[in-house]
């Protein structure tokens, strides 16, 4: 019997460790994705229990996404100084601590502040997960590793609505945050033993662009905060238009700064590529429309159809379930025919889905609502995989991480804008119909007024999808795309 040498034993240990590292990264990916989908289902219950208006409770989700938008471009630079494994593991601890504070929050102010802390942890996890996979796996195994992390993203979005609905129904809304605490603690403890602790081996670490980072954070936060409050303040109010003007000036200053900086936070040269520019804009518009559904459908199901949180969560699973089935098929098909047809058709199908939503009544059966939501899963599945593949194909291999970060940034900005658009239109139409600002569970609002307001949101989201489909079609014809690849 041949005895293994020390090199072979060491090799076996390394093989075992890299898959354990992937398992740890998958846990963080699952947790961050799960939390976003859980929180949307809880909004009606939180609004009712705290007796707060719709435009306030939206900040439970908006504050989380806005913070991630501000943090994502900065975290990559920090990881170059302190180590990706170290920052990723700190992300576990910060996320778990923020989740615990969310569960303990006695009022909406503390809940929103706790969500901001939670988002800081999530940004540390999101920004470093792909880099850890690249650091751990050789080139011929990365596709398999990224496939596993991609599956965890789908599982997080799949289980979030159902788990959230069940937890809220049986244990109350704080439980949707407490569920993250044991997952975060386990991930942190395992990370202490598994994740690389050293700094990057590169001898030349670029100087951090502090002026650019300040301009970006101030500009993006001011813009998204103003847009999210436009309905409450009034779009013609001085602070609304002044906030938007100042934010745009600051972001313009950020753009000028980045063009002159030796080590820019965002490489705007990427947007000179037609495929990247059109794909990024189309992706943002797709998430604007998607979060019109995620924000409004729980209110339709619970306040109009009087469905329980458990039923609401189960019905809303139709969207990610359909997407999980279609996305791998569309990814395989895009390798054969390119992304042009699939991305454009996917957004066009979503536009048709929103038009169908305007036909739903006050007495629609919940299974019919689920079928409508499945249409969006099919459309989003047709769009996402080919669009991501198209975006990643435009960047040099050395900038793959940067492109992934920008893709995540665009996605989160679209989510914030989708929440702001849907809540603003919904609240505005309710106020026009009733003359009062609705709050809490909306039990005092006539159902006819609610349905009318929801239809306005669905029409607007359909228009966004149509614009997205047109933008996606501008990436070029299939023949041009093949020559570009």
């Amino acid at each position: 019997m041949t005895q293994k040498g020390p090199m072979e034993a060491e090799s076996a240990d390394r093989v075992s460790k890299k898959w354990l590292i992937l398992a740890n990264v998958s846990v963080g990916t699952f947790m961050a994705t799960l939390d976003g989908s859980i929180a949307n289902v809880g909004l009606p219950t939180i609004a009712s229990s705290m007796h707060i208006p719709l435009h306030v409770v939206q900040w439970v989700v908006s504050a989380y996404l806005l913070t991630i938008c501000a943090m994502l471009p900065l975290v990559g630079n920090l990881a170059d100084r302190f180590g990706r494994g170290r920052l990723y593991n700190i992300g576990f601890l910060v996320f778990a601590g923020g989740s615990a504070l969310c569960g303990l929050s006695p009022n909406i102010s503390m809940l929103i502040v706790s969500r901001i802390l939670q988002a800081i942890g999530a940004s540390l996890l999101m920004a470093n997960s792909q880099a850890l996979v690249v650091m751990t796996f050789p080139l011929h195994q990365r596709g398999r590793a990224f496939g596993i992390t991609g599956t965890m993203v789908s599982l997080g979005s799949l289980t979030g609505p159902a788990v959230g609905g069940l937890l809220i129904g049986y244990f109350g809304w704080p439980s949707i945050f407490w569920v993250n605490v044991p997952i975060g603690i386990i991930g942190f403890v395992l990370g202490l033993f598994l994740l690389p602790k050293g700094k990057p081996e590169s001898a030349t670490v670029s100087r951090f662009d502090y002026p650019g980072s300040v301009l970006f954070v101030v500009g993006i936060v001011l813009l998204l905060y103003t847009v999210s409050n436009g309905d409450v303040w009034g779009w013609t109010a001085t602070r609304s238009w002044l906030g938007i003007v100042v934010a745009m000036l600051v972001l313009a200053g950020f753009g000028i700064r980045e063009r002159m900086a030796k080590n820019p936070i965002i490489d705007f040269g990427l947007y000179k590529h037609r495929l990247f520019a059109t794909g990024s804009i189309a992706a943002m518009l797709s998430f604007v429309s998607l979060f019109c559904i995620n924000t409004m459908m729980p209110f339709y199901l619970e306040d109009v159809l009087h469905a329980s949180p458990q039923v609401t969560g189960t019905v809303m699973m139709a969207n990610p379930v359909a997407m999980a089935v279609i996305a791998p098929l569309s990814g395989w098909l895009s390798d054969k025919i390119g992304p042009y047809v699939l991305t454009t058709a996917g957004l066009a199908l979503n536009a048709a889905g929103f038009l169908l939503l305007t036909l739903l009544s006050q007495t629609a059966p919940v299974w019919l609502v689920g079928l409508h939501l499945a249409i969006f899963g099919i459309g989003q599945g047709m769009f996402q995989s080919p669009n991501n593949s198209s975006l990643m194909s435009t960047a040099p291999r050395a900038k793959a991480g940067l492109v992934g970060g920008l893709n995540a940034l665009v996605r989160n900005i679209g989510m914030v804008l989708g929440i702001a658009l849907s809540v603003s239109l919904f609240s505005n139409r309710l106020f026009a119909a009733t003359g009062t600002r609705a709050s809490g569970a909306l039990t005092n609002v006539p159902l006819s007024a609610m349905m009318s307001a929801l239809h306005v949101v669905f029409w607007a989201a359909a228009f966004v999808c149509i614009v997205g489909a047109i933008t996606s079609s501008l990436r070029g014809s299939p023949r041009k795309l093949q020559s570009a690849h």
Side-chain angles (χ1 to χ4, degrees), residues 141-159:
Q141 291 183 331
R142 286 177 192 168
R144 183 180 175 188
F146 278 124
I148 292 173
T149 57
T151 300
M152 298 309 294
V153 172
S154 298
L155 285 176
S157 60
L158 279 171
T159 57

Side-chain angles (χ1 to χ4, degrees), residues 185-267:
I185 292 174
I186 293 171
F188 174 75
V189 173
L190 292 177
L192 290 176
F193 299 97
L194 294 173
L195 298 179
K197 300 178 178 62
K199 297 181 180 181
E201 296 178 0
S202 175
T204 58
V205 177
S206 59
R207 290 192 62 187
F208 186 68
D209 184 13
Y210 290 103
S213 65
V214 171
L215 288 171
F216 176 79
V217 171
V218 172
I220 197 69
V221 170
L222 180 58
L223 176 63
L224 297 178
Y225 180 78
T226 304
V227 169
S228 297
N229 283 288
D231 179 65
V232 181
W233 296 344
W235 289 106
T236 59
T238 301
R239 56 179 169 174
S240 293
W241 64 260
L242 186 61
I244 292 176
V245 169
V246 172
M248 296 305 294
L249 290 175
V250 173
L251 289 175
F254 167 72
I256 295 172
R257 164 68 191 180
E258 294 306 280
R259 291 182 180 279
M260 297 188 300
K262 293 182 179 180
N263 304 297
I265 296 173
I266 296 177
D267 184 1

Side-chain angles (χ1 to χ4, degrees), residues 282-344:
M284 184 185 70
L285 294 174
S286 75
F287 278 97
V288 169
S289 64
L290 180 64
F291 263 64
C292 287
I293 305 172
N294 287 358
T295 305
M296 289 291 106
M297 291 310 291
F299 289 95
Y300 171 68
L301 286 163
E302 295 185 27
D303 294 322
V304 177
L305 301 185
H306 305 294
S308 66
Q310 297 96 313
V311 172
T312 297
T314 304
V315 171
M316 291 194 67
M317 274 188 65
N319 186 336
V321 165
M323 180 179 174
V325 172
I326 296 299
L329 297 176
S330 68
W332 171 81
L333 190 58
S334 69
D335 290 336
K336 307 293 183 183
I337 65 173
Y340 176 84
V341 173
L342 291 166
T343 55
T344 304

Side-chain angles (χ1 to χ4, degrees), residues 349-384:
L349 180 61
N350 281 356
F354 277 112
L355 296 180
L356 289 175
L357 284 182
T358 64
L359 302 178
L360 290 176
S361 67
Q362 303 171 18
T363 58
V366 291
W367 62 264
L368 182 61
V369 180
L371 287 180
H372 281 67
L373 293 179
I375 294 174
F376 296 101
I378 296 172
Q380 197 71 8
M382 291 172 62
F383 173 81
Q384 273 308 110

Side-chain angles (χ1 to χ4, degrees), residues 2-17:
T2 306
Q3 187 176 6
K4 287 185 178 181
M7 292 299 292
E8 293 181 33
E10 182 182 0
S11 177
D13 289 341
R14 287 181 178 177
V15 169
S16 175
K17 185 174 181 180

Side-chain angles (χ1 to χ4, degrees), residues 57 61 69 82 92 95 104 110 120 156 158 167 210 214 252 258 261 266 276 312 324 335 388 406 449-450 458 462:
V57 77
V61 176
C69 288
F82 301 106
F92 269 125
F95 193 94
L104 293 170
M110 181 175 173
I120 293 173
L158 279 171
L167 288 174
Y210 290 103
V214 171
E258 294 306 280
I266 296 177
F276 187 82
T312 297
D335 290 336
N388 287 339
L406 290 178
M450 286 190 63
F458 297 151

